[in-house]
Amino acid sequence: MSDLAVTPQMPVRKSIRRLRWFIRAFEDQVARVEADTGNRFACDEKRLSAVFVEWLRAFEAQKPTLAEDRLPYVGFAAGLMLRTLISQKPLSLTSRPAGHDETNPAYFWPEGYVYVAFCLNIRALVLAQDFDEEQEMVPALTELRSWWSFRENVEEDDNLAIAFLDLFAGEAPDWETPELFRGRRTGEIAQRFYTALPPED
Amino acid sequence: MPSRPVPDRLALPLRDALRGVRSAKELSEMLLRPATELLPGPVQSLLRQTVHQAERVGKYALSAPMPGPHQMARAVAALAGRLPAPEGRDALLAALTFGLERALADDATPALMMSETVAALAIDAALPAGTGDAADRAAGLLDHLHRAHVVGPVPGTGFAHDPASERRAELACFAVCLWLLCERPDVEAGGEDRILTLCIGLCAAVTDDIEAVLDARASPAGLMRDLASMV
């Protein structure tokens, strides 16, 4: 997927919470996808501002206090961003190159492709900077079957965008309540609770 | 062709008069264009020539120049209370004028204009009375700008200042005060224009929140502080 060229002066986890960097980084992502695919987009900057505000408020609302939850929250926050981009729709495709391949996700759903690329790139930058972790490239990211399911499901419930971003990032998605952040401790307790249940008759 | 800047030496009321002429001209063109389609051929042609003449005159219309980095720094310092009122007043007025003209131009309808004279009076009243941090002072300035009706309908056009246009005026003032409140540690060439555009877009995105604060007659300082930290 097309990388990001914009490098902020402060850590990405902080600069992404500034409108001026967020918009610049998103525009840079659009330009890179345009160069790689030949697709052309129109961007509604007011909608993009609305994306930023809505995402930042959702981000702050569930921000964990435990240090051990900081890493899993990076992926969740990226998923929240994808959900907001999909619901606000700041991009619209204006043209595609002749003879494009519809089985390539970049042409199957051009706007969705940019949103996913942007969120995965921001996620990867934060993981690399703050946790020295590398983001995996998984087969689901390039499989048309995954993208078809992604597009159809988020049209019905945009919260599923959070789960799909986990899938594209090689993490285990929470398909039941993807909009709720479950920190490590909560996840462990839930796991023990469900495994401790007696078998049904 | 870009508009010519307003000469600094022109007295404020004269600059307002020129601003009014420009706004009225833009409004006349907007109103006349659809009407020309309904008229008989010869009259239509005559009216089109008149509109074309007006457009030529429009090339010489005046607009406030973008303040330079030094002037912006003084405007921001004056708003924050770090510069004595008499020293910072002109810089703040220049920034406010540029910002309001831009915010109103972004609006879809050109029926509103700002008065530099009224803005100067509002600043003169707001700066000495300002207390608290920069956000409190920006909220105080916003209140003075609103009460002084710094933005209103273009004179002579017959448009009334109804609640909807008053609200648009208030939102434009809010966006400009927010712009003046933002941190600007690394502003590049053209960066001020960019930050202003972001503030206008941000205010459009959170119009409901701004209106809720304004409707409650509460101080918008908290919301301004919150939004400025996002930009």
Side-chain angles (χ1 to χ4, degrees):
Chain A
M1 275 203 157
S2 315
D3 289 338
L4 274 175
V6 180
T7 48
Q9 290 177 334
M10 56 175 89
V12 174
R13 86 182 120 79
K14 287 191 172 175
S15 50
I16 194 63
R17 283 178 266 171
R18 303 303 292 262
L19 180 63
R20 65 187 87 172
W21 193 84
F22 171 82
I23 288 192
R24 211 172 133 211
F26 187 81
E27 288 173 346
D28 173 68
Q29 182 69 73
V30 174
R32 286 182 161 252
V33 171
E34 284 183 333
D36 289 350
T37 64
N39 288 338
R40 292 286 175 269
F41 299 93
C43 183
D44 183 330
E45 207 165 274
K46 283 184 180 166
R47 280 194 189 180
L48 198 53
S49 296
V51 168
F52 172 78
V53 175
E54 191 180 322
W55 170 76
L56 191 56
R57 287 178 176 168
F59 172 90
E60 296 289 350
Q62 294 194 58
K63 196 174 160 189
T65 50
L66 295 173
E68 66 192 36
D69 287 336
R70 280 183 55 218
L71 193 151
Y73 201 66
V74 175
F76 181 75
L80 287 177
M81 187 175 285
L82 181 61
R83 179 185 72 176
T84 320
L85 284 164
I86 285 172
S87 67
Q88 291 280 354
K89 300 178 177 61
L91 275 189
S92 50
L93 183 75
T94 55
S95 69
R96 266 187 277 209
H100 61 268
D101 175 11
E102 282 277 357
T103 64
N104 181 333
Y107 302 109
F108 170 72
W109 187 13
E111 295 93 337
Y113 182 83
V114 177
Y115 301 154
V116 169
F118 179 65
C119 295
L120 284 180
N121 280 324
I122 296 293
R123 183 183 184 277
L125 282 170
V126 177
L127 289 177
Q129 275 187 356
D130 291 6
F131 302 97
D132 205 20
E133 288 213 1
E134 202 169 308
Q135 186 164 271
E136 280 184 68
M137 291 292 283
V138 296
L141 197 53
T142 50
E143 287 170 357
L144 183 63
R145 190 180 47 178
S146 311
W147 279 81
W148 184 84
S149 172
F150 169 46
R151 186 171 187 172
E152 190 177 70
N153 278 287
V154 297
E155 271 175 18
E156 287 180 17
D157 179 3
D158 54 21
N159 285 319
L160 288 171
I162 301 165
F164 271 98
L165 197 74
D166 277 337
L167 180 75
F168 291 142
E171 301 286 343
D174 172 7
W175 299 108
E176 297 301 317
T177 52
E179 71 278 22
L180 296 178
F181 176 66
R182 294 198 328 181
R184 278 184 175 162
R185 199 169 292 174
T186 316
E188 284 166 11
I189 292 168
Q191 189 66 26
R192 282 204 300 272
F193 175 76
Y194 290 117
T195 53
L197 284 175
E200 288 180 19
D201 293 331
Chain B
M1 179 188 279
S3 311
R4 289 184 175 181
V6 177
D8 286 339
R9 288 187 300 273
L10 277 182
L12 295 183
L14 184 53
R15 292 216 289 270
D16 276 346
L18 289 169
R19 196 169 278 115
V21 168
R22 183 189 62 196
S23 303
K25 177 198 75 66
E26 287 167 356
L27 201 57
S28 306
E29 287 171 34
M30 188 188 82
L31 295 173
L32 281 174
R33 255 195 204 98
T36 56
E37 307 299 327
L38 305 171
L39 296 169
V43 183
Q44 198 179 97
S45 168
L46 185 66
L47 198 54
R48 280 209 174 114
Q49 279 178 29
T50 310
V51 171
H52 183 64
Q53 288 286 345
E55 281 172 348
R56 286 180 56 201
V57 172
K59 289 179 181 175
Y60 296 95
L62 305 173
S63 66
M66 187 166 82
H70 179 66
Q71 204 171 18
M72 275 309 298
R74 290 177 72 82
V76 170
L79 182 67
R82 297 194 304 268
L83 196 65
E87 290 180 42
R89 181 251 204 192
D90 287 352
L92 185 54
L93 178 61
L96 202 63
T97 304
F98 170 77
L100 276 174
E101 284 200 343
R102 174 60 57 85
L104 293 171
D106 266 28
D107 206 334
T109 50
L112 294 176
M113 64 167 277
M114 64 89 59
S115 162
E116 212 173 328
T117 313
V118 177
L121 293 170
I123 289 172
D124 285 344
L127 287 188
T131 54
D133 67 3
D136 291 319
R137 288 167 174 272
L141 176 62
L142 178 68
D143 185 47
H144 277 89
L145 292 171
H146 179 60
R147 282 194 282 127
H149 296 286
V150 69
V151 174
V154 178
T157 57
F159 282 96
H161 206 19
D162 57 19
S165 67
E166 276 193 40
R167 184 42 55 89
R168 280 170 46 220
E170 211 166 5
L171 289 172
C173 291
F174 190 103
V176 175
C177 289
L178 178 64
W179 168 55
L180 293 166
L181 203 54
C182 290
E183 282 180 28
R184 32 181 57 77
D186 51 356
V187 177
E188 304 151 359
E192 283 299 344
D193 205 20
R194 183 77 185 131
I195 299 173
L196 176 59
T197 305
L198 290 175
C199 287
I200 294 167
L202 181 60
C203 287
V206 296
T207 300
D208 290 349
D209 295 346
I210 299 172
E211 289 188 338
V213 170
L214 298 176
D215 288 342
R217 295 285 155 221
S219 169
L223 181 59
M224 282 184 156
R225 203 176 286 119
D226 186 30
L227 294 176
S229 73
M230 291 182 186
V231 179

